[in-house]
Each structure stands twice: as structure tokens, then as C-alpha cells.
Amino acid sequence: MKVVHVFTAQEGGAGLCAVRIIKATSRLGVETRAVIAKGIPSESVDVVPFAYPWSDNWFIKKCQVLLKLLRLWPRSLRYARKIARQRTLYKAGTFTSPLTTYTRLSCHSWIREADIVHLHWIGGFVDYPSFFKNVDKPIVWTIHDENPGYGGFHYALWRASAPESFRRLDSRLARIKQKAYQSAKSIHLVAISTMMAEFFKSNTLLKSYPSTLIFNGFDEESFKSMPPSVARRALSLPADKVIFLFSAYTITEDRKGLRQLIAALERLQRSDILLVCLGRYKEKPSATFEIRCEGFVSECPTLSQYYSAADFFVLPSFQEAFAQTPLEAMACGTPVVAFPCSGARDLINPDNGIVCDDFTVEALQKGILQAMQKSYDKDTIIRDLRRRFSYDVIARQYLTLYHKILQQHEP
């Protein structure tokens, strides 16, 4: 069985999940390759250069577009100025067009040779109209956010707060996506949480396609628990503090809830609290207690040290498909306190953490206090996680799905 995985980048939560699925299914005998836009090439990973997609008549089309813009110059100039005033949406990565320059991606030899094409996060890479129409293989699509169900936005939360001009554009792009999906030979969706599965059923663009629930997993080889005292010494963290760990690609992104976490911890009015933040930032947040911002950390051994050093990992996100960081924290035996965002209820139980009642500072404070009053056993947390979320378990679920889809499409 040959499976080619298509996704935008090897970094980031969705990219790392894709890489781990590839690694785990390969161990089960699946011949896997990856076609990506950003990353490190290898024998089984092809990074498609930006120049790849241009068609032979690209120059002619470019001239036609230029002439049209010149005829509509006054209107185009006004539109450009309007978009420029709203560029924060693009800078925050909250809006991705389904139209890209990679219009010949479906011609890639690995995609043509595959039995199944497995999509992951494809924002800014896959050109929907050309790709779905021209790929003549069954498509499995592990969906990591809500973008496939909207035109350009990645979450309903962002769409609701966007300017009206972007919502209108989102509706137009959604129609383009819907037409692209209808042109595909076969699409089978994979929901990575119960809440995402419910989103599929209610979403206009996705509800007509079959779906399977397969959670994200964790790599037992990459994340190892260690004694908290050892981890704290290695990281120069104090031994006498209650350490809360927060992690996000960009810690100041509103959706991740750092502001609410700081407010909840301040309400505790304790002098022995330390908040450690992992992720990119421009300005260190301030609070009445100590905060350490350690920057972006991607190396698993170092991440394992931070998870092991923390007393609690906190996920105050307002919206997630299925956050990977709580899995990694639990792989190191660390309990999690989380807002009731997607995936939290699938992952957290009384033995490994607390799911807050609501998305408020008060609810988060209450959840943190409940966690601090409980006693958690690291070995119990790790055993439960391995039983439910080990990548060997997840890979077998994908292998079962692959066989089922191929049987349905036998000539």
C-alpha cells in the first residue's frame, strides 16, 4: 500500500502530527511519502519549490490580469487600501485562500503513484479547484482546524469578529471550496476530536462526506518523564515554586488565552507561583507574580524537561481542534487544567486533570484550585495515555481506515 501525505509545513502542531502519523504507519508496513511546501527534503519527503506550479501560459494570464486591473484601477486602488487597513487578519494567520499558485500539484509523480492521498493542514499550499478535480485517488483528510468548512477563516471565532468585507469574501471562497470538493473522486474526513466530528455533521461544506474519529497521538519515544527535581535543576527553575506551564506557537495570540490565565493566577494571591511560557513573543507579559518566557522550544528532550518540571500544564484556549501540548504534558505525567475547548473532554478525566466549567477567568481560577487540591499519580497518567493515545494505537486505526477505503474503491 502506497500512501502520500500532503501538508504545508513540517513545523507547527499540525505538521508535527502529520510527521508522527507517517512514522507510525511506516512501522506497520505502509509505504509512505510526503509532499510539502516547507521543510527539509529527504528520500521520502519532497519539498515543492515555489516555482513548480506555474503553467506554460502563466505569462499570458498575468498580462490579462494586469490589463483588467488597469481598466478597473480606481476601484482596485480603493479595494487595496481597504485590505491594507485590515492586514492584521492576514498577519495573524487567521485567513487562508483556497486559491494558490500550486495549480500543478496533482501532477506530482508521488501523488500519481499513490493508492491513497492523505491530506493534513494544507493552508497556503494546495490549490483546491485544480487539486481535488485532478487527483484520481481516494483522499483521506485529517482536519486540524475548521478552515476546510469555511472559505478562508480557520475558526468560527475568528469569522464572527472579522469585518463584514472579509465575511463576504469568506462566503465566496466557500462556494469555490464546495465546488472543488464535489469534483473529487472520493473524500473521507478524519475528525481528531468528538467536537470536530460534530462540526463536520453541522457544516454545510463537509456534512455530506463520510468521516471517522481518530484522535491525535503522542510519540512514546520522544516524550519521557523524569523526576521534577532533576528537570528543574537542568532548566534552572526554582525547587520551591508551584510551576504552571503554558505553551503556544505564539503566546500572545488571543485564542490561546494567556491573558485569562494570568488573571486567574493573580486571583490566587500566592507568592509561590511561577508561570513558565513556551512560545514566540515580542513583549514579555507582566503580572503580580513571576513569569518566565523561554521562547519557542521544539526539541522533544527539552520539552520533556519543561513538562516534567511543571506541577500543572494549563490550556486556556478558547478554540482548538485537538491540542497536542496536553498530550505531551501527560506523556510526562503532568496533570492538565483546560478550558472546555475541543479535545479537552476526550483527553481529560479525573485521574489526569480538570476541565473547567466555562471559558471565564472565574472558571479557570476554580479549575486551578481544584487541581491544586488533588493528588495526581504520574504513573497512572502515563499508563492511561499510552493505552488510549499511543501512536501505535493511532496508526492501527489509520491502517484499518486505509484498507476499508481501498476495498470500497476496488475496480
Side-chain angles (χ1 to χ4, degrees):
M1 181 193 304
K2 295 181 180 180
V3 178
V4 61
H5 296 258
V6 179
F7 51 102
T8 302
Q10 290 171 320
E11 64 176 9
L16 290 173
C17 287
V19 170
R20 290 164 184 162
I21 290 170
I22 291 170
K23 182 179 178 181
T25 52
S26 296
R27 288 200 296 257
L28 297 179
V30 179
E31 186 178 332
T32 59
R33 288 174 169 176
V35 177
I36 62 177
K38 302 173 186 177
I40 302 172
S42 67
E43 288 185 5
S44 60
V45 177
D46 187 30
V47 180
V48 179
F50 185 75
Y52 175 90
W54 301 121
S55 59
D56 295 335
N57 61 347
W58 169 78
F59 182 75
I60 296 174
K61 289 183 178 180
K62 193 80 171 180
C63 290
Q64 290 172 342
V65 170
L66 181 60
L67 289 171
K68 185 175 182 180
L69 285 175
L70 288 173
R71 287 197 301 270
L72 301 175
W73 177 252
R75 187 189 307 173
S76 300
L77 185 60
R78 288 196 302 271
Y79 183 74
R81 286 172 177 169
K82 188 174 184 180
I83 292 297
R85 290 195 297 268
Q86 300 169 348
R87 283 185 65 192
T88 52
L89 275 172
Y90 288 102
K91 288 181 179 179
T94 59
F95 197 95
T96 305
S97 173
L99 304 174
T100 76
T101 56
Y102 292 86
T103 54
R104 294 176 60 199
L105 185 60
S106 60
C107 300
H108 195 288
S109 60
W110 290 0
I111 293 176
R112 288 188 168 186
E113 294 168 5
D115 298 307
I116 289 177
V117 177
H118 191 153
L119 303 182
H120 298 273
W121 199 91
I122 56 175
F125 183 34
V126 169
D127 177 72
Y128 282 59
S130 62
F131 187 85
F132 286 99
K133 179 181 179 180
N134 295 319
V135 170
D136 60 351
K137 311 292 173 63
I139 294 174
V140 173
W141 195 355
T142 301
I143 295 182
H144 295 270
D145 60 21
E146 296 177 354
N147 178 255
Y150 294 109
F153 290 99
H154 288 258
Y155 289 101
L157 185 69
W158 293 341
R159 192 182 194 280
S161 60
E164 177 60 28
S165 58
F166 273 100
R167 290 200 294 271
R168 288 198 301 269
L169 177 60
D170 184 80
S171 298
R172 295 190 188 114
L173 295 178
R175 290 193 288 271
I176 292 174
K177 282 188 176 181
Q178 187 172 39
K179 186 176 180 180
Y181 297 160
Q182 291 170 349
S183 69
K185 177 181 180 180
S186 167
I187 299 177
H188 193 106
L189 309 178
V190 174
I192 58 177
S193 69
T194 303
M195 198 173 291
M196 284 297 289
E198 294 170 354
F199 170 71
F200 293 172
K201 294 176 183 177
S202 62
N203 181 265
T204 303
L205 271 64
L206 304 177
K207 64 183 180 181
S208 61
Y209 299 98
S211 64
T212 300
L213 176 63
I214 302 178
F215 297 127
N216 280 348
F218 80 100
D219 189 351
E220 295 182 51
E221 298 176 3
S222 298
F223 295 96
K224 303 288 185 180
S225 177
M226 64 185 68
S229 58
V230 174
R232 292 190 182 196
R233 281 198 301 271
L235 299 169
S236 300
L237 295 173
D240 58 345
K241 294 277 190 176
V242 180
I243 297 180
F244 294 87
L245 183 64
F246 171 86
S247 178
Y249 188 78
T250 303
I251 66 173
T252 52
E253 183 184 336
D254 288 341
R255 178 174 61 93
K256 297 296 184 177
L258 177 59
R259 183 166 52 86
Q260 286 72 20
L261 173 56
I262 292 174
L265 292 176
E266 285 183 326
R267 282 169 168 250
L268 300 181
Q269 297 182 339
R270 293 181 55 148
S271 60
D272 61 343
I273 286 176
L274 170 61
L275 174 60
V276 177
C277 299
L278 304 181
R280 291 184 168 89
Y281 67 98
K282 290 184 178 179
E283 187 175 335
K284 178 182 174 182
S286 59
T288 57
F289 55 87
E290 184 181 1
I291 299 178
R292 294 193 187 183
C293 294
E294 306 290 274
F296 182 73
V297 179
S298 60
E299 298 80 13
C300 292
T302 307
L303 283 171
S304 296
Q305 289 179 332
Y306 278 107
Y307 290 130
S308 298
D311 293 288
F312 304 97
F313 180 85
V314 187
L315 181 76
S317 295
F318 290 94
Q319 197 162 15
E320 297 279 356
F322 190 99
Q324 192 71 18
T325 48
L327 277 174
E328 297 169 358
M330 290 180 183
C332 298
T334 303
V336 174
V337 179
F339 272 158
C341 62
S342 182
R345 298 194 185 278
D346 296 317
L347 176 61
I348 299 173
N349 57 45
D351 292 329
N352 61 25
I354 299 290
V355 178
C356 299
D357 298 330
D358 203 349
F359 294 90
T360 62
V361 172
E362 293 78 11
L364 185 55
Q365 178 194 9
K366 178 184 175 183
I368 290 171
L369 284 172
Q370 288 177 330
M372 295 178 72
Q373 292 165 2
K374 293 187 66 173
S375 177
Y376 294 98
D377 180 69
K378 285 183 173 290
D379 291 336
T380 300
I381 293 174
I382 294 171
R383 280 197 302 270
D384 173 65
L385 197 73
R386 287 176 176 172
R387 178 181 60 84
R388 295 189 293 147
F389 297 100
S390 166
Y391 258 115
D392 287 338
V393 174
I394 303 304
R396 293 186 185 281
Q397 294 174 5
Y398 273 110
L399 187 60
T400 300
L401 177 61
Y402 292 158
H403 283 302
K404 176 183 174 182
I405 290 173
L406 289 178
Q407 287 174 359
Q408 291 172 347
H409 290 87
E410 284 182 352

